């Protein structure tokens, strides 16, 4: 890229009536290969490079200085710039006490690591990043290893030829947080005059802080020379309880690996107790079908007493050994698999033949100090709170979440509306379309095997009322449908139903609306009718199932007001209660299939007068403690579970008040 | 098998004694008076080097999500009797996912937070086939609080008590290579009168029947679980087991000396020691070799560096925390490389007398904090992001020291202190001790032995604290602390000994055993609450009294006031940010008077950040005395303290002010 990609034409009028673009020359993404989640096995080793790295901040005025001066050729210390200790995974923004928080441009990371001598022979070594935001260039021992943009998705590279085995190695990463018209999500960088001179300012319209850095784990892992490089799994469940798993395997070999002759692929499905439930042996064929009589289905939380049931699908690749006719184990990879069916029509989304009513949250990966960095403790706490609340779903708003959280959702039966990073897109450039399609292709590639993923969200609050949106989204959605892997397509729309050019292409219509907040502030008596009318209008216009993906109001925990006053906990409770009435009215109409609160927890945003330390619409505080409304929401979600799924209520759901007040909900 | 169960059961048999003791307090008093303490041998720690990769070593982390089971409080040893370790934990009880490292208490939404007794963890991991050749495999825990029992593939590995310190065991013969393995950990958080720290377990009636209650007098939450990293690492068959380093500096600070001593373990060492050699190489920060030596037989020696870059504390030098890298190579006949281990070395010298504490010949004035390892959700679990943030805040505020109150902190934080030049008063887990029993003495000494073994090579460790707020007014405290202090001196003669004392100077019986006296006092808070006009003179008078009695350097190791961020009241009222600011200011006046006397060598705020405590009506969500909130954001007092600490930095060490130290108000105010 060049600097010009980040500078915006200062003539702002051109932005308001953006021209109509043609998409005839738009290229579809090259399909992603490989990128299996790193797992130890008899034939593979995984090594984490998480921990303490060193960081150098580039001059915001000269983000490419490090490239020109070849900082990657030697230790970053040699640049003479200040070395900052930086944890990985973490965003870099909130770790220091200076204004690294608002840095725009590049930063450089470095660390050293040892690679065992035993990795040198008969193996390949791979370097895999789960997420670097926004774009990354990577060197090993001063030599280029790989680069990637779209910060929320993984990338990897074979580095066998770059490593010093049995010795010390150095990895260098240049990370660039700048967003432009063509990045996903979009932003722009302006130069503005400040008291300290002209500085670049990153602006964006989305409402979460543009945290940056090495956000998720960095892994080194080994594979055999010939190895299983990718897997695709599709599942079905028949009415008779027969489970069906269709699988496809990709192999990859190094130059030496091409000499190795595969003999057979053994596929074994094991249940939670380790018993073999089905198996198949394939010779020279790398796809197949397993049939599982009396399969234990994967069910969502609260729809079954054993939600999130996962089998373990074991792939073993055998090759000819030195002696003829004998086979030896070449590679083993194990993949958790949940057996479920998913289908939809114009009224419903059905899982294992049963209609779903989705209730949950929009969320963010966000916490104190670490920003968007992966944190197992936070992940475990969040899932415990989701279950405590009785939620059965969330949307990965507004970008792909960590692979570890997808695994957690699989295990716990939490359904996911999986959203790509296209948030608030506005200027529908052909290059943006290419990047948008690529982000969805990479997302679907990464997440297609997760039973918890029940829909793909192709955008959040795009300016879909613009004239240019029609052709853009027609092109995009047609492409995504080709690769959707058995899942419906949705989006979170905030345009009016009468002017939206996107919804017609979707399978499920999702809308965001903040009655008595952004519109009619303070008026909790202006929610019920407006909401039911709007949902009905989406239904009338497009004839699809409808979900409300966002509603809510900012709430300062500890602030109380009687009668309810905006920002108080009382106000949040009242606002939710009015929405509940609307949702129950809408559920009776048959096509309204989900309600999602914005947001699960308070989160950090860019600084504006409307954000008190960040976005405070969370049902939980940023450090994951409940506001009053969490308890109200909990009673609602469990009441819905009882009504819809005959689920028993938790003992501690209601607060004892009096012997004479019945505790029915 | 039977013996292990017995060891486990014994702890709970003591519950009955505790109940009996509560009923007959007179009996306890009588017992205390009659106590005679005997100096017994303490088991000596071996090995325990921090795991580091090298040409000859591999390190694998077992951190991540483990499976977790909570035992019934009424039946903490059920898992041992039913042999839960013999198979996957999920086959004995339903499991929940639990992150490691983390405390388990705040992860769930039920009352696991207040669980007393045992919990169980397990997970599976692969061990590569390549590890089965000519190597030894070690399993090492950085910390499991309070007590841990560990099995691998159903076979017992190790047991450890003393929750804040590492332990390890060889597991070479227990592992399956090129295959899946299972590790099981039983973790017990119960504290009794002979644990360090002390607690009591009582059985009391509640609405549902009887329940177990853990009580303790220390003021931090008894977080529990696998708190720090779990590592598997390889060594060669014959390997470097221990490295001990001491350093010295010439008077003109131009020549540094590094004395190293190596212990070797393994068959080659046993056969014929004289064939082994140690090649020691010392590299500066740029990787340039500045000294080297070869030693045989004794496996130790001296390296001389001329000119040397000494290790200096933050703000005492423009390049604080300078570290060399010491590379230790174990060589066999024909210079065959057997093992390589590298560690960072800071070259400095310490000395003290009745008036001063000196580093590299220069007097030190300590300014900093008492702290805790504590944060939202993770509790005491190790967190790199939090650690870096904390060190950034320590430097932002101009602190040069902290005390690892009230227990050993993570090894990673010790490394960070070395790198940044932050001095550490390293405290063992003995907090609020009373009932000075023989068994407690043994545990206390063992905690110090393990602590010093772990931390002796860190240049940032400048002092050992052998206790916090022990009840040193009691009759047996005199002989008890004499034994503890002399034991500590026998382990390390290069660092002084202190303790943080809260009893009055007239009642204290431990001070004569110490090198430096530290005292904790909360004027205008626990004493004379709200009286801002009763701070300065009381602090001066008390410090003078301590010095007069013991003729030793004096540190105020704790002062402060709880403060609810966002509460403002003028005039100042307790719990407000105005009050905390005023409390600090009145202490600053006292400290500046005391500094003139020469023997007052340090001031430490209690606390760096707000932290979680047991539930009490005096604790609003926890202890709120932090200068920073629990989420690590400053209260008003932080900005005031920053101005003071940097003013001291300029006054004492001629360092310059940060540009943003003062807030512009008007041209007239400079």
């Amino acid at each position: 890229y060049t600097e010009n990609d980040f500078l915006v034409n200062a003539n702002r009028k051109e932005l308001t009536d953006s021209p109509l673009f043609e998409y005839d020359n738009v290229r579809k993404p090259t399909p992603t290969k490989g990128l299996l989640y790193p797992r130890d096995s008899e034939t593979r080793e995984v090594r984490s490079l998480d921990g303490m790295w060193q960081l150098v901040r580039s001059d915001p005025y000269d983000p490419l200085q490090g490239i020109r001066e070849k900082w990657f050729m030697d230790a970053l210390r040699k640049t003479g710039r200040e070395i900052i200790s930086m944890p990985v995974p973490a965003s870099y923004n909130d770790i220091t006490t200076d204004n690294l928080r608002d840095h725009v441009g590049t930063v450089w990371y470095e660390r050293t690591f040892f690679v065992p001598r035993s990795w040198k022979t008969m193996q390949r070594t791979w370097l895999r990043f789960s997420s670097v935001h926004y774009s990354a260039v990577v060197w090993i021992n001063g030599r280029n290893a790989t680069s990637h943009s779209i910060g929320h998705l993984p990338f990897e590279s074979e580095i066998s030829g770059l490593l010093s085995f049995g010795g010390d190695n150095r990895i260098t990463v240049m990370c660039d947080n700048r967003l432009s018209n063509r990045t996903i999500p979009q932003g722009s960088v302006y130069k503005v005059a400040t008291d300290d001179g002209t500085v670049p300012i990153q602006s964006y319209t989305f409402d979460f802080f543009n945290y940056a850095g090495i956000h998720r784990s960095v892994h080194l892992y080994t594979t055999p020379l010939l190895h299983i490089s990718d897997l695709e799994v599709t599942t079905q469940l028949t009415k008779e309880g027969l489970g069906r798993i269709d699988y496809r395997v990709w192999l990859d070999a190094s130059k030496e690996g091409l000499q190795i002759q595969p003999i057979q692929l053994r596929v074994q499905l094991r249940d939670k107790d380790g018993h073999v439930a089905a198996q198949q042996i394939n010779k020279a064929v790398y796809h197949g079908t397993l049939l599982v009589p009396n399969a234990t289905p994967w069910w969502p939380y609260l729809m079954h007493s054993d939600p999130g049931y996962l089998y373990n699908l074991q792939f073993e690749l055998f090759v000819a050994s030195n002696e003829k006719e004998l086979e030896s184990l070449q590679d083993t990879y194990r993949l958790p698999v949940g057996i479920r069916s998913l289908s939809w029509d114009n009224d419903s989304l059905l899982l294992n033949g049963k209609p779903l009513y989705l209730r949950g949250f929009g969320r963010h990966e966000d916490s104190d100090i670490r920003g968007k960095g992966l944190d197992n403790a936070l992940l475990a706490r969040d899932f415990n709170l989701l279950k405590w609340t009785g939620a059965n779903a969330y949307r990965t708003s507004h970008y792909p979440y960590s692979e570890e959280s997808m695994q957690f959702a699989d295990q716990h039966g939490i359904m996911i509306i999986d959203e790509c990073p296209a948030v608030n897109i506005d200027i529908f450039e052909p290059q943006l379309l290419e990047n948008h399609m690529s982000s969805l292709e990479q997302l679907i590639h990464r997440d297609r095997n997760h039973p918890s993923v029940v829909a793909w969200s192709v955008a959040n609050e795009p300016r879909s009322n613009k004239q240019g949106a029609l052709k853009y989204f027609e092109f995009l959605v047609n492409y995504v449908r080709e690769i959707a892997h058995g899942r419906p397509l949705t989006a979170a729309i905030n345009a009016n139903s009468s002017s939206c050019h996107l919804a017609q292409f979707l399978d499920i219509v999702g809308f965001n609306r903040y009655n008595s907040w952004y519109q009619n502030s303070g008026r909790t008596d202006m929610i019920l009718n407006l909401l039911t009318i709007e949902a009905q209008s989406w239904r009338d216009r497009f004839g699809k199932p409808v979900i409300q993906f966002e509603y809510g109001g900012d709430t300062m925990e500890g602030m109380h007001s009687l009668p309810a006053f905006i920002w108080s906990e009382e106000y949040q409770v009242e606002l939710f209660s009015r929405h509940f009435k609307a949702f129950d009215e809408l559920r009776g109409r048959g096509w309204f299939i989900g309600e999602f609160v914005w947001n699960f927890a308070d989160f950090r945003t860019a600084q504006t007068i409307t954000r008190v330390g960040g976005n405070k619409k969370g049902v939980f505080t940023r450090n994951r403690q409940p506001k009053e409304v969490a308890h109200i929401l909990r009673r609602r979600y469990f009441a819905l579970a009882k009504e819809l799924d005959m689920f028993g209520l938790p003992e501690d759901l209601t607060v004892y008040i009096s012997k004479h007040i019945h505790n029915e909900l | 098998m039977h013996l292990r169960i017995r060891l486990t059961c014994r702890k709970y048999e003591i519950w009955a004694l505790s109940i009996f003791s509560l009923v007959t307090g007179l009996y306890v008093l009588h017992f205390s008076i009659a106590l005679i303490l005997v100096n017994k041998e303490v088991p000596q720690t071996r090995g325990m080097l921090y795991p580091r990769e090298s040409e000859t070593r591999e390190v694998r982390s077992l951190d991540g999500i483990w499976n977790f089971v909570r035992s019934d409080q009424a039946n903490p040893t059920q898992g041992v009797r039913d042999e839960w370790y013999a198979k996957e934990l999920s086959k004995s009880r339903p499991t929940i996912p639990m992150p490691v490292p983390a405390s388990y208490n705040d992860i769930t939404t039920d009352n696991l937070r207040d669980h007393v007794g045992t919990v169980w963890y397990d997970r599976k991991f692969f061990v590569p086939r390549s590890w089965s050749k000519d190597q030894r495999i070690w399993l090492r825990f950085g910390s499991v609080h309070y007590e841990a029992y560990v099995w691998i593939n159903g076979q017992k590995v190790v047991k450890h008590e003393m929750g804040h310190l590492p332990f390890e065991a060889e597991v070479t013969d227990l592992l399956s290579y090129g295959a899946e393995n299972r590790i099981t950990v039983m973790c017990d958080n119960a504290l009794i009168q002979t644990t360090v720290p002390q607690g009591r377990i009582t059985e009391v009636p509640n609405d549902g029947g009887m329940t177990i209650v853990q009580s303790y007098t220390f003021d931090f939450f008894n977080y529990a679980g696998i708190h720090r990293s779990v590592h598997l690492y390889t060594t060669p068959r014959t390997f470097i087991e221990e490295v001990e380093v001491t350093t010295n500096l010439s008077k003109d600070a131009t020549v540094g000396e590094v004395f190293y001593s190596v212990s070797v373990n393994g068959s080659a060492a046993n056969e014929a020691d004289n064939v082994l050699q140690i090649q020691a190489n010392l590299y500066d920060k740029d990787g340039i070799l500045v000294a080297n030596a070869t030693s045989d037989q004794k496996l130790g020696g001296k390296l001389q560096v001329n000119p040397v870059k000494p290790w200096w504390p933050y703000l005492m030098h423009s390049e604080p925390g300078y570290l060399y890298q010491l590379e230790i190579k174990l060589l066999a006949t024909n210079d065959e490389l057997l093992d390589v281990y590298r560690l960072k070395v800071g070259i400095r010298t310490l000395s003290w007398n009745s008036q001063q504490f000196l580093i590299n010949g220069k007097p030190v004035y300590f300014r900093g904090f008492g702290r805790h390892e504590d944060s939202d959700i993770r509790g005491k679990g190790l967190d790199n992001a939090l650690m870096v943030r904390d060190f950034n805040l320590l430097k932002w505020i101009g602190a040069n020291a902290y005390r690892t109150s009230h227990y050993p902190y993570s090894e990673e934080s010790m490394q960070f202190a070395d790198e940044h030049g932050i001095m550490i008063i390293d405290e063992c887990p003995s907090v609020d001790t009373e009932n000075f029993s023989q068994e407690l003495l043994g545990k206390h000494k063992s905690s110090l032995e393990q602590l010093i073994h772990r931390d002796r090579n860190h240049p940032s460790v400048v002092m050992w604290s052998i206790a916090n707020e022990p009840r040193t007014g009691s009759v047996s405290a005199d002989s008890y602390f004499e034994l503890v202090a002399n034991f500590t001196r026998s382990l390390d003669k290069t660092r002084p000994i202190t303790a943080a004392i809260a009893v009055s100077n007239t009642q204290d019986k431990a001070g004569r055993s110490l090198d430096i006296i530290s005292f904790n006092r909360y004027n205008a808070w626990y004493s004379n609450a709200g009286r801002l006009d009763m701070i300065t003179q009381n602090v001066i008078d008390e410090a003078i009294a301590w010095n007069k009695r013991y003729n030793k350097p004096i540190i105020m190791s704790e002062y402060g006031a709880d403060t609810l961020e966002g509460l403002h009241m003028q005039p100042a009222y307790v719990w407000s940010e105005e009050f905390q600011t005023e409390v600090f200011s009145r202490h600053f006046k006292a400290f500046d008077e005391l500094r003139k006397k020469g023997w007052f060598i340090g001031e430490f705020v209690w606390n760096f950040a707000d932290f979680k405590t047991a539930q009490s009506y005096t604790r609003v969500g926890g202890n709120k005395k932090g200068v920073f909130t629990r989420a690590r954001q400053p209260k008003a007092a932080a900005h005031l303290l920053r101005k003071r600490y940097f003013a001291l930095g300029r006054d004492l060490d001629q360092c310059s002010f940060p540009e943003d130290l003062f807030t512009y108000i008007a041209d007239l105010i400079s």
Side-chain angles (χ1 to χ4, degrees), chain A residues 562-576:
Chain A
L562 196 65
F565 190 91
I566 201 165
W567 284 87
S568 68
E569 295 199 50
E570 282 81 3
Y571 190 86
Q572 193 180 33
V573 168
E574 183 69 19
L575 185 149
F576 275 42

mmCIF file of all heavy atoms in Angstrom, chain A residues 562-576:
data_model
loop_
_atom_site.group_PDB
_atom_site.id
_atom_site.type_symbol
_atom_site.label_atom_id
_atom_site.label_comp_id
_atom_site.label_asym_id
_atom_site.label_seq_id
_atom_site.Cartn_x
_atom_site.Cartn_y
_atom_site.Cartn_z
ATOM 1 N N LEU A 562 -36.023 8.139 40.763
ATOM 2 C CA LEU A 562 -37.451 7.806 40.831
ATOM 3 C C LEU A 562 -38.252 9.097 40.703
ATOM 4 O O LEU A 562 -38.093 9.983 41.532
ATOM 5 C CB LEU A 562 -37.756 7.118 42.164
ATOM 6 C CG LEU A 562 -39.099 6.396 42.190
ATOM 7 C CD1 LEU A 562 -39.109 5.236 41.208
ATOM 8 C CD2 LEU A 562 -39.388 5.892 43.590
ATOM 9 N N PRO A 563 -39.111 9.272 39.704
ATOM 10 C CA PRO A 563 -39.321 8.310 38.624
ATOM 11 C C PRO A 563 -38.073 8.163 37.760
ATOM 12 O O PRO A 563 -37.124 8.928 37.908
ATOM 13 C CB PRO A 563 -40.487 8.929 37.841
ATOM 14 C CG PRO A 563 -40.427 10.390 38.141
ATOM 15 C CD PRO A 563 -39.927 10.496 39.544
ATOM 16 N N ALA A 564 -38.099 7.199 36.893
ATOM 17 C CA ALA A 564 -36.924 6.873 36.089
ATOM 18 C C ALA A 564 -36.465 8.080 35.280
ATOM 19 O O ALA A 564 -37.277 8.806 34.704
ATOM 20 C CB ALA A 564 -37.235 5.705 35.155
ATOM 21 N N PHE A 565 -35.163 8.263 35.249
ATOM 22 C CA PHE A 565 -34.556 9.352 34.487
ATOM 23 C C PHE A 565 -33.467 8.731 33.623
ATOM 24 O O PHE A 565 -32.798 7.784 34.040
ATOM 25 C CB PHE A 565 -33.954 10.375 35.457
ATOM 26 C CG PHE A 565 -33.501 11.653 34.807
ATOM 27 C CD1 PHE A 565 -34.358 12.745 34.699
ATOM 28 C CD2 PHE A 565 -32.208 11.782 34.320
ATOM 29 C CE1 PHE A 565 -33.935 13.933 34.120
ATOM 30 C CE2 PHE A 565 -31.776 12.962 33.732
ATOM 31 C CZ PHE A 565 -32.648 14.041 33.635
ATOM 32 N N ILE A 566 -33.270 9.294 32.478
ATOM 33 C CA ILE A 566 -32.338 8.705 31.511
ATOM 34 C C ILE A 566 -30.949 8.532 32.135
ATOM 35 O O ILE A 566 -30.511 9.345 32.945
ATOM 36 C CB ILE A 566 -32.304 9.574 30.237
ATOM 37 C CG1 ILE A 566 -31.781 8.774 29.053
ATOM 38 C CG2 ILE A 566 -31.512 10.840 30.451
ATOM 39 C CD1 ILE A 566 -32.060 9.425 27.720
ATOM 40 N N TRP A 567 -30.259 7.454 31.804
ATOM 41 C CA TRP A 567 -28.954 7.000 32.294
ATOM 42 C C TRP A 567 -29.041 6.276 33.646
ATOM 43 O O TRP A 567 -28.046 5.721 34.101
ATOM 44 C CB TRP A 567 -27.920 8.139 32.417
ATOM 45 C CG TRP A 567 -27.318 8.600 31.120
ATOM 46 C CD1 TRP A 567 -27.817 9.553 30.283
ATOM 47 C CD2 TRP A 567 -26.098 8.161 30.517
ATOM 48 N NE1 TRP A 567 -26.992 9.735 29.205
ATOM 49 C CE2 TRP A 567 -25.920 8.883 29.323
ATOM 50 C CE3 TRP A 567 -25.126 7.219 30.882
ATOM 51 C CZ2 TRP A 567 -24.819 8.703 28.482
ATOM 52 C CZ3 TRP A 567 -24.028 7.038 30.043
ATOM 53 C CH2 TRP A 567 -23.890 7.781 28.855
ATOM 54 N N SER A 568 -30.213 6.293 34.282
ATOM 55 C CA SER A 568 -30.302 5.606 35.573
ATOM 56 C C SER A 568 -30.588 4.127 35.364
ATOM 57 O O SER A 568 -31.041 3.705 34.294
ATOM 58 C CB SER A 568 -31.424 6.215 36.419
ATOM 59 O OG SER A 568 -32.680 5.908 35.825
ATOM 60 N N GLU A 569 -30.332 3.349 36.413
ATOM 61 C CA GLU A 569 -30.640 1.925 36.328
ATOM 62 C C GLU A 569 -32.151 1.705 36.210
ATOM 63 O O GLU A 569 -32.585 0.772 35.543
ATOM 64 C CB GLU A 569 -30.046 1.181 37.534
ATOM 65 C CG GLU A 569 -28.529 1.211 37.544
ATOM 66 C CD GLU A 569 -27.886 0.141 38.417
ATOM 67 O OE1 GLU A 569 -28.260 -1.039 38.273
ATOM 68 O OE2 GLU A 569 -27.013 0.481 39.221
ATOM 69 N N GLU A 570 -32.938 2.574 36.843
ATOM 70 C CA GLU A 570 -34.398 2.455 36.709
ATOM 71 C C GLU A 570 -34.837 2.639 35.258
ATOM 72 O O GLU A 570 -35.743 1.965 34.776
ATOM 73 C CB GLU A 570 -35.110 3.489 37.601
ATOM 74 C CG GLU A 570 -35.165 3.135 39.075
ATOM 75 C CD GLU A 570 -33.890 3.464 39.836
ATOM 76 O OE1 GLU A 570 -32.946 4.028 39.231
ATOM 77 O OE2 GLU A 570 -33.823 3.146 41.037
ATOM 78 N N TYR A 571 -34.178 3.568 34.587
ATOM 79 C CA TYR A 571 -34.548 3.838 33.200
ATOM 80 C C TYR A 571 -34.247 2.636 32.314
ATOM 81 O O TYR A 571 -35.055 2.252 31.465
ATOM 82 C CB TYR A 571 -33.794 5.069 32.687
ATOM 83 C CG TYR A 571 -34.293 5.562 31.355
ATOM 84 C CD1 TYR A 571 -35.368 6.444 31.294
ATOM 85 C CD2 TYR A 571 -33.707 5.151 30.158
ATOM 86 C CE1 TYR A 571 -35.842 6.910 30.074
ATOM 87 C CE2 TYR A 571 -34.175 5.604 28.940
ATOM 88 C CZ TYR A 571 -35.242 6.480 28.903
ATOM 89 O OH TYR A 571 -35.710 6.935 27.698
ATOM 90 N N GLN A 572 -33.094 2.027 32.533
ATOM 91 C CA GLN A 572 -32.731 0.857 31.728
ATOM 92 C C GLN A 572 -33.753 -0.266 31.936
ATOM 93 O O GLN A 572 -34.183 -0.920 30.977
ATOM 94 C CB GLN A 572 -31.316 0.379 32.094
ATOM 95 C CG GLN A 572 -30.726 -0.625 31.106
ATOM 96 C CD GLN A 572 -29.319 -1.077 31.483
ATOM 97 O OE1 GLN A 572 -28.980 -1.177 32.658
ATOM 98 N NE2 GLN A 572 -28.505 -1.372 30.482
ATOM 99 N N VAL A 573 -34.151 -0.474 33.186
ATOM 100 C CA VAL A 573 -35.146 -1.506 33.482
ATOM 101 C C VAL A 573 -36.459 -1.214 32.763
ATOM 102 O O VAL A 573 -37.058 -2.088 32.121
ATOM 103 C CB VAL A 573 -35.375 -1.598 35.009
ATOM 104 C CG1 VAL A 573 -36.606 -2.432 35.324
ATOM 105 C CG2 VAL A 573 -34.142 -2.183 35.690
ATOM 106 N N GLU A 574 -36.908 0.026 32.838
ATOM 107 C CA GLU A 574 -38.178 0.397 32.216
ATOM 108 C C GLU A 574 -38.110 0.243 30.697
ATOM 109 O O GLU A 574 -39.051 -0.235 30.055
ATOM 110 C CB GLU A 574 -38.527 1.843 32.594
ATOM 111 C CG GLU A 574 -39.861 2.349 32.071
ATOM 112 C CD GLU A 574 -41.059 1.684 32.739
ATOM 113 O OE1 GLU A 574 -40.890 1.114 33.837
ATOM 114 O OE2 GLU A 574 -42.150 1.718 32.157
ATOM 115 N N LEU A 575 -36.978 0.648 30.142
ATOM 116 C CA LEU A 575 -36.792 0.560 28.691
ATOM 117 C C LEU A 575 -36.852 -0.900 28.238
ATOM 118 O O LEU A 575 -37.516 -1.236 27.245
ATOM 119 C CB LEU A 575 -35.448 1.202 28.338
ATOM 120 C CG LEU A 575 -35.066 1.339 26.870
ATOM 121 C CD1 LEU A 575 -34.201 2.580 26.664
ATOM 122 C CD2 LEU A 575 -34.294 0.113 26.391
ATOM 123 N N PHE A 576 -36.175 -1.773 28.969
ATOM 124 C CA PHE A 576 -36.202 -3.199 28.616
ATOM 125 C C PHE A 576 -37.622 -3.746 28.746
ATOM 126 O O PHE A 576 -38.101 -4.486 27.881
ATOM 127 C CB PHE A 576 -35.262 -3.993 29.534
ATOM 128 C CG PHE A 576 -33.827 -4.022 29.088
ATOM 129 C CD1 PHE A 576 -33.195 -2.892 28.585
ATOM 130 C CD2 PHE A 576 -33.094 -5.194 29.181
ATOM 131 C CE1 PHE A 576 -31.868 -2.929 28.186
ATOM 132 C CE2 PHE A 576 -31.757 -5.239 28.786
ATOM 133 C CZ PHE A 576 -31.142 -4.103 28.287
#
